[in-house]
Amino acid sequence: MKKYISFLVVTFFIICSFSCSNDDDVTEEETARYDLVVNNETESEIVIYINNTADTRGFVNNGMIDAGGEAIVIDLEAEAPYLLRAVNSGEDLEDFFFELPFSYEESEGPTIIINSPQL
């Protein structure tokens, strides 16, 4: 019986010493993120596309904005280079009338105003 108890105590000590390693304290750095507000001050409905130029997905459709309306694009990565394009509703991405490269360092919500066709 004494051997059995000694074996349990030693096993318990070994298990406790491996479970208390410092590996659990390693934390990954969290990437700063922000939300972007896009205001449509044109007189027509538009569709906005955003491309993170640092990755290979290309342009992503971020929705339609009514004339005089606004949309919020959530969870953009801070300091990443983006390109925003605005297209009149019903037209192809290649027929954009507004294009703007942007990148923000802070996590405060910036605003982009689309008010007239520009190239």
Side-chain angles (χ1 to χ4, degrees):
M1 183 75 168
K2 211 176 199 185
K3 286 184 180 180
Y4 181 71
I5 293 175
S6 297
F7 177 75
L8 286 176
V9 169
V10 170
T11 305
F12 179 74
F13 177 76
I14 291 172
I15 291 173
C16 287
S17 52
F18 281 114
S19 66
C20 295
S21 68
N22 289 336
D23 294 342
D24 296 337
D25 296 335
V26 176
T27 58
E28 292 182 26
E29 288 186 33
E30 214 174 285
T31 303
R33 308 206 68 83
Y34 66 94
D35 296 341
L36 173 70
V37 177
V38 181
N39 288 326
N40 177 12
E41 293 187 0
T42 68
E43 295 179 3
S44 61
E45 187 176 66
I46 63 171
V47 179
I48 56 170
Y49 294 87
I50 295 181
N51 179 16
N52 180 340
T53 58
D55 74 29
T56 59
R57 291 185 304 160
F59 282 94
V60 176
N61 183 332
N62 287 98
M64 195 172 297
I65 307 174
D66 292 329
E70 76 175 22
I72 299 175
V73 181
I74 61 170
D75 206 31
L76 296 175
E77 183 180 334
E79 298 184 20
Y82 288 97
L83 187 61
L84 178 134
R85 284 187 181 172
V87 178
N88 286 316
S89 181
E91 294 183 5
D92 293 329
L93 172 62
E94 293 77 28
D95 298 327
F96 64 93
F97 69 88
F98 181 91
E99 183 176 67
L100 180 69
F102 67 93
S103 176
Y104 294 99
E105 295 177 8
E106 297 180 13
S107 58
E108 291 184 19
T111 300
I112 293 178
I113 298 172
I114 301 173
N115 54 16
S116 65
Q118 70 178 48
L119 291 175

